[in-house]
């Protein structure tokens, strides 16, 4: 058994320092007025911008001047005066003497200035051309001058009041880029059959960290050549209550689109989305510019006017194409029809199109397994400067083995054990449904509870399999009376609301019924917007409202009642079959079912099309769909902790989740909604959980099914939600594609401030309801900290709590606060289990902690813990999988493991931010003080819910809260990859 795990994370040793010298360039603010006048040429007064859009200029600078780091420049204050400059616009290592020759900068400025006006103005507007020439001449007379700054501390940071490192904003780029440059000086990484040579990728002013990428590597799989590269990301991170920041190394695989579709003879690119292309010239982009070792980034997108793909003009590629020598920039049609040719050695520019799953199958598997990660990391560690050391290895914390809960599902050892376990689980489900009594029939009380579910089907194949899966899920014998009542395929086809085809099973615990209804009259088909309605957004919103109303009326005819929440399994076509995507009816179907009182679980129609057919078989999919539907009804088994008296009796778990409806998200609504779920042990049924959700309108906890249906009221459709996503023209966009307007930025900040106030008010009401009973509030760092700033590393103070503008105060007597953090943003490090010498490093499951002394543990100093879980049976991959090596097999042929997909459990961080470890605070309530490690272990055990076939990415209460967002964001894809599924 692995006793330790190692992380690819590094911090300064005690007493060490790491500094570097730079040359820096301030943004010439004296340019500002002339640039704004040029940018606002021809705009009406109300549409004039107050911010210069420098995103494209910064992007091209990163390509033409590969050694230059670009920082966000200081923004003007409300009155137009500049804020005190605390940073520079550009940085470059001190040893680089001429990073951007004046002649190159002048040509670049000319190309950039042409993009500042309305589209086509430089060619067709004499007034703009005249103003352009005057502005260009003025800029060239006052080019900025490089300054020398010495001894910049790369990891020396101040510390917050809570004892957490608080890096300066520029350190996130300077430290990571400096380490990346050191890695580039290493000899190539050797592997059996070749070596990897890395290059840097351009990083914009908003990009935190550095990125390196190897040359494209080719492997022959199934008689075709497939290409990929190894990618290294270097990021600067902090850990709560830790005064030292750390650098993370994160390895991954980037796969390149290689084979066009046979029908179109070109790559299949998403219709409305841009596709990234990496470019590497063999000659300078611009005569006189320094030779570049960095890749350039460009994007391809379908031009709606010509229905052909073209380079995105408001991208750095647009400027590069105008600057570069004729014939160097790739032709989109040729690149898409012959992608492999641009990956070879014969082109003036090497071009690689990033593969996406929508393009089809790529035979190179994603990700790297732990042993190869460790080899790559050991190679990169040669570049570490003196004083930068690896963080301590983690050791097993409290609990044995994997730290399983007391009611962990046993692993069947044979067919007999498997059948016995399935039977036990089926009885448990029936018992739980009977206890919950969610839906009762007219004969309830005579033969026990009656629970009904609806099957809204479209194909006979799925209907038959869904009925079989329902019987298997509950351990039911027989055909539900189909034979006795003479139910035939015709009976099922002719069923209608009020006259469904009903199957019924009687068990000792309850009576189960399935009401089967064909989804007729186009209720499951694509939405058909009314073209007579003006405006795209209004048309789609109206189509959703019509389908929602039609489906609700149809279901009400089948005795659906919102006061008695029920469950419906709905068959629907795969989202890829709906073109355009806005015609996908899932949104409307879920809303219509919810209006009628039905929770929904979708199952995709069977298909042989590779784009539609799921990896899992149909019987497996419908079986899991029924189980997921039952969980929506509140049928849950609570993992029972093994901490005994170290946790309060009757401990409850509350979970907070922020539902974020982004402008570029499924509903294109930029709003937010805090939600909370409370999971309690059932007093009458051992092992079962009572799940409730917080109704903020009523200020009360209500049953989970009613909570989900209540959330649908928060999913109302704004007619503007489906307006054109690209209605802003390129010259209106600034960094990150946001509108380049000072007013817009102010509105964005004001909107966030308002949302934070609403969240604080929500928290105060919800937390007040928890007083008087022992509760752990579980939160998620990446999900909630922007709206609840107290969860940010820079705000946290141990054992205090702050919800709004008032100062932080101590926790209520029975409340504990835990923050969970996953790998999003590479915030938790890549890791591997340390094996014995000569053996491959692995992926051990368990509960992990930093080594601390008994005195430190008793004093509560250890507050940060980690959780890893077992790999599901579907990911039984050797940890020693080698993505790179090519070997000669017994038959004398070259072979590799490049086609096998990798999978790695996430290292989940558990931070016990608030508990009661000081004597005297709880003597009137409890006799034993909290042990942070016990609370953290309970969080680890909550990830191992017995009624799930595989461990959860999050503790069960947080998982339930995250699932609830499907009723606020109804277009959220069913079965989206969980955070735990880490490939790269």
């Amino acid at each position: 058994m692995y006793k330790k795990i190692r992380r690819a994370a590094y911090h300064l040793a005690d007493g060490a320092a790491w500094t570097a010298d730079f040359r820096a360039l301030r943004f010439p603010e004296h340019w500002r007025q002339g640039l704004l006048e040029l940018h606002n040429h021809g705009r009406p007064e109300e549409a004039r911008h107050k911010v210069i859009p420098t995103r494209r200029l910064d992007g091209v600078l990163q390509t033409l001047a590969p050694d230059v780091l670009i920082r966000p420049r200081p923004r003007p204050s409300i009155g137009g005066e500049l804020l005190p400059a605390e940073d520079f616009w550009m940085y470059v290592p001190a040893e680089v003497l001429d990073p951007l020759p004046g002649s190159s900068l002048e040509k670049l400025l000319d190309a950039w200035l042409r993009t500042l006006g309305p589209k086509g103005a430089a060619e067709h507007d004499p007034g703009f051309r005249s103003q352009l020439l005057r502005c260009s001449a003025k800029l060239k007379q006052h080019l900025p001058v490089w300054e020398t700054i010495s001894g910049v501390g790369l990891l020396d940071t101040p510390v917050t009041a809570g004892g957490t490192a608080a890096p300066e904003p520029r350190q996130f780029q300077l430290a990571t880029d400096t380490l990346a440059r050191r890695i580039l000086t290493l000899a190539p990484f050797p592997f059996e059959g070749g070596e990897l040579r890395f290059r840097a990728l351009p990083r914009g002013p908003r990009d935190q960290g550095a990125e390196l990428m190897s040359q494209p590597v080719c492997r022959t799989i199934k008689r075709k050549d497939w290409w990929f590269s190894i990618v290294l990301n270097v990021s600067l991170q902090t850990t709560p209550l830790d005064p030292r920041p750390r650098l993370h190394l994160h390895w991954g695989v980037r796969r390149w689109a290689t084979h066009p579709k046979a029908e179109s003879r070109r790559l299949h690119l998403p219709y409305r989305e841009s596709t990234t292309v990496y470019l590497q010239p063999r000659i300078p982009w611009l005569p006189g510019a320094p030779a570049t070792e960095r890749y350039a980034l460009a994007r391809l997108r379908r031009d709606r006017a010509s229905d052909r793909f073209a380079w995105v003009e408001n991208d750095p590629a647009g400027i590069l194409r105008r600057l570069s020598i004729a014939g160097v920039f790739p032709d989109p049609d040729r690149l898409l029809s012959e992608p492999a040719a641009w990956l070879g050695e014969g082109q003036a520019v090497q071009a690689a199109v990033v593969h996406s799953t929508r393009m089809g199958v790529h035979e190179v598997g994603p990700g790297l397994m732990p042993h190869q990660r460790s080899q790559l990391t050991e190679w990169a560690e040669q570049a570490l400067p003196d004083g930068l050391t690896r963080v301590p290895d983690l050791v097993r914390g409290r609990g044995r083995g994997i730290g399983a809960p007391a009611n962990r599902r046993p692993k069947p050892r044979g067919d007999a054990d498997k059948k016995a376990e399935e039977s036990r689980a089926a009885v448990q489900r029936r018992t739980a449904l009977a206890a919950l009594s969610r839906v009762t029939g007219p004969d309830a009380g005579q033969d026990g509870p009656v629970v009904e579910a609806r099957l809204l089907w479209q194909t006979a194949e799925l209907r038959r399999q869904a009925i079989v899966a329902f019987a298997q899920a509950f351990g039911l014998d027989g055909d539900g009376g189909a034979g006795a009542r003479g139910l035939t395929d015709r009976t099922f086809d002719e069923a209608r609301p009020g006259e469904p085809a009903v199957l019924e099973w009687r068990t000792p615990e309850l009576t189960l019924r399935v009401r089967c209804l064909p989804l007729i009259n186009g209720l499951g088909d694509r939405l058909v917007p009314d073209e007579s309605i003006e405006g795209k957004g209004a048309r789609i919103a109206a189509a959703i409202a019509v389908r929602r109303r039609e489906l609700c009326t149809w279901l009400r005819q089948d005795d659906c009642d919102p006061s008695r929440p029920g469950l419906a399994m709905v068959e629907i076509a795969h989202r890829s079959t709906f073109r355009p995507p806005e015609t996908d009816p899932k949104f409307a179907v879920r809303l219509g079912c919810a209006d009628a009182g039905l929770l929904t679980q979708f199952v995709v129609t069977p298909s042989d099309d590779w784009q539609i057919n799921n990896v899992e078989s149909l019987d497996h999919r419908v079986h899991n769909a029924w189980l997921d539907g039952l969980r929506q009804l509140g049928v849950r088994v609570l993992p029972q902790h093994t901490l005994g008296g170290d946790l309060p009796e009757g401990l409850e778990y509350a979970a907070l989740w922020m539902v974020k409806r982004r402008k570029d998200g499924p509903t294109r609504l930029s709003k937010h909604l805090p939600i909370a779920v409370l999971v309690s042990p059932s007093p009458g049924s051992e092992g079962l959980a009572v799940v409730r959700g917080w109704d903020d309108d009523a200020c009360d906890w209500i049953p989970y099914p009613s909570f989900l249906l209540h959330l649908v009221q928060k999913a109302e459709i704004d007619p503007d939600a489906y307006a054109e996503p690209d209605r802003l023209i390129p010259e209106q966009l600034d960094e990150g594609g946001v509108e380049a307007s000072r007013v817009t930025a102010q509105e964005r900040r004001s909107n966030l401030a308002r949302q934070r106030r609403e969240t604080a008010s929500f928290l105060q009401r919800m937390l007040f309801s928890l007083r008087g009973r022992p509760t752990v509030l579980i939160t998620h760092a990446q999900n909630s900290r922007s709206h609840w700033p107290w969860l940010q590393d820079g705000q946290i103070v141990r054992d205090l709590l702050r919800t709004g503008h008032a100062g932080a105060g101590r926790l209520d007597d029975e409340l504990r606060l835990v923050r969970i953090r996953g790998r999003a943003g590479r915030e938790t490090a890549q890791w591997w289990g340390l094996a014995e010498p000569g053996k491959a490093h692995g992926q051990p499951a368990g509960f992990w902690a930093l080594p601390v002394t008994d005195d430190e543990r008793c004093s509560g100093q250890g507050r940060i813990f980690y959780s890893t879980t077992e790999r599901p049976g579907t990911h039984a991959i050797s940890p020693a999988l080698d993505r790179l090596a090519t070997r000669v097999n017994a038959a004398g042929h070259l072979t590799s493991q490049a086609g096998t997909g990798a999978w790695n459990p996430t290292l989940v961080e558990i931070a016990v931010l608030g508990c009661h470890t000081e004597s005297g605070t709880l003597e009137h309530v409890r006799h034993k003080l909290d042990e942070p490690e016990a609370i953290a272990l309970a969080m680890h055990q909550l990830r191992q819910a017995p009624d799930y076939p595989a461990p959860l990415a999050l503790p069960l209460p947080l998982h339930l809260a995250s699932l609830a967002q499907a009723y606020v964001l109804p277009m959220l894809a069913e079965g989206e990859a969980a955070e735990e599924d880490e490939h790269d």
Side-chain angles (χ1 to χ4, degrees), residues 668-738:
R668 299 205 180 102
L669 295 170
S670 55
K671 297 183 179 180
H672 91 298
L673 178 71
I675 59 177
V677 167
L678 182 65
V679 179
S680 313
S682 176
S685 301
E686 184 177 353
L688 295 181
V690 177
V691 185
R692 289 168 287 174
W694 177 251
D695 183 346
D696 199 42
D697 297 329
C699 285
D700 195 13
W701 296 98
I702 61 177
Y704 190 65
S706 301
F707 167 68
L708 296 179
L709 295 179
H710 178 73
L711 288 177
V712 172
Q713 301 173 15
K714 313 295 183 182
E716 298 297 332
I717 305 304
D718 183 342
D720 294 333
Y722 285 93
E724 290 291 341
D726 51 355
R727 60 186 177 276
L728 295 177
I729 57 178
E731 55 267 25
Q732 290 178 302
L733 301 180
D734 194 12
E735 285 86 352
V738 299

Side-chain angles (χ1 to χ4, degrees), residues 801-831:
L801 184 67
R802 182 179 181 181
T803 56
H805 290 295
R810 73 176 186 87
L811 295 170
D812 289 337
D813 288 344
E814 292 288 7
L815 183 66
R816 290 92 181 155
L817 177 63
V818 171
R819 193 192 75 173
I820 304 297
R821 180 158 62 168
R823 68 180 179 90
R826 305 181 183 90
E827 293 187 31
T828 58
Q830 288 190 332
W831 64 282

Side-chain angles (χ1 to χ4, degrees), residues 462 465-466 469 569 603 617-626:
L462 188 140
Q465 192 59 58
M569 179 185 287
V603 180
S617 61
L618 178 59
D619 59 342
H620 186 72
R621 287 193 287 122
V622 294
H623 179 80
N624 284 339
W626 282 121

Side-chain angles (χ1 to χ4, degrees), residues 101-438:
S103 59
S104 298
L105 180 58
E106 290 178 1
K107 293 177 183 178
L108 175 57
L109 288 173
D110 284 339
W112 173 57
L113 292 176
R114 294 167 64 90
T115 70
L116 292 183
K119 190 174 183 179
E123 289 79 18
H124 308 294
D125 187 337
F128 179 81
R129 289 202 304 271
S130 176
Q131 189 174 359
L132 173 67
L133 292 174
R134 292 196 302 271
C135 185
S136 174
K138 186 175 180 180
L139 263 60
K140 292 174 183 177
Q141 290 175 1
H142 304 283
L143 292 178
V145 178
W146 290 95
E147 305 175 36
T148 300
I149 53 175
S150 304
V152 177
L154 300 179
L155 290 180
D156 297 330
T157 67
V159 178
T160 68
T164 302
E168 298 176 26
R170 66 180 181 177
Q171 288 178 314
F172 287 93
Q173 283 180 279
L174 298 184
T176 54
D177 185 78
T178 302
L179 180 57
R181 292 177 193 273
R182 293 177 65 96
I183 293 174
L184 288 175
T185 64
L186 298 176
F189 173 80
F191 61 87
E192 191 171 348
E195 60 183 22
L196 295 180
R197 303 176 301 279
F198 287 88
R199 294 177 183 267
L201 297 181
R203 307 291 284 173
R206 303 292 176 181
D207 295 325
Q208 300 292 335
E211 188 172 24
L212 306 180
M213 187 169 70
S214 76
Q215 82 278 13
V217 177
C218 182
R219 291 291 177 265
T220 301
I221 306 173
K222 296 182 180 179
R223 299 182 180 180
K224 287 186 176 181
D225 290 342
W226 301 89
W227 296 77
F228 68 98
S229 291
I230 302 298
V231 177
L232 170 62
N233 283 278
V234 186
S235 63
L236 179 63
Q237 308 289 349
T238 60
T239 300
L241 312 180
D242 188 337
R244 289 181 290 184
R246 56 189 59 180
L247 291 166
H248 286 181
L249 301 184
H250 188 104
W251 298 93
V253 171
R254 184 162 289 145
R255 299 178 294 177
W256 305 116
T258 311
H259 299 288
K261 292 194 69 175
E263 303 83 29
S264 62
R265 296 185 179 180
R266 70 179 182 187
L267 295 177
H268 176 74
L269 269 59
Y271 183 78
R272 291 191 174 186
E273 298 178 10
S274 299
T275 298
T276 301
V277 181
Y278 287 85
L279 305 172
Q280 174 59 47
R282 290 180 172 80
I283 58 176
W285 283 109
L286 188 65
T292 176
E293 290 295 319
R294 293 187 182 230
Y295 288 93
L297 267 65
R299 293 182 298 157
L300 283 173
R301 189 169 185 173
R302 188 189 299 267
D303 180 73
R304 283 184 290 177
S306 63
D307 198 36
R308 298 180 64 181
F309 281 93
W311 298 106
V312 177
E313 289 298 321
N314 66 313
D315 214 44
I319 299 178
L320 285 175
R321 188 164 57 87
R322 287 188 290 271
L323 286 172
S324 60
I325 300 173
V328 172
F329 215 83
D331 174 68
D333 288 333
R334 188 183 168 201
L335 177 61
L336 296 178
S337 59
E338 305 175 48
W342 295 85
L343 290 167
E345 298 295 329
Q347 302 292 338
V349 175
Q350 188 181 61
V353 182
V354 176
H355 169 80
S356 74
T357 54
R358 295 188 183 183
M359 295 180 183
V361 175
H362 199 292
E363 291 297 340
V364 172
L368 298 166
M369 290 302 279
H371 190 69
Q372 191 154 56
R373 279 181 173 179
S374 70
Q375 293 173 325
L376 287 161
T377 302
E378 290 172 4
W379 169 79
E381 286 177 347
Q382 300 175 79
L384 295 178
D386 293 338
L388 196 61
T389 182
R390 188 189 313 112
V391 298
D393 295 335
L394 298 175
V395 298
R396 290 194 178 274
R398 183 170 174 171
R400 294 184 175 182
I402 65 171
N407 57 345
R408 181 194 183 197
R409 173 186 289 186
K411 287 186 177 181
R413 298 187 177 182
D415 291 341
D417 285 350
K418 185 176 181 180
K419 290 181 179 179
E421 170 58 23
E422 291 174 351
S423 177
R424 183 200 63 79
V427 171
Q428 188 178 51
R429 294 183 190 112
R430 299 199 304 263
T431 303
L433 268 182
L436 294 169
S437 301
R438 298 299 187 190

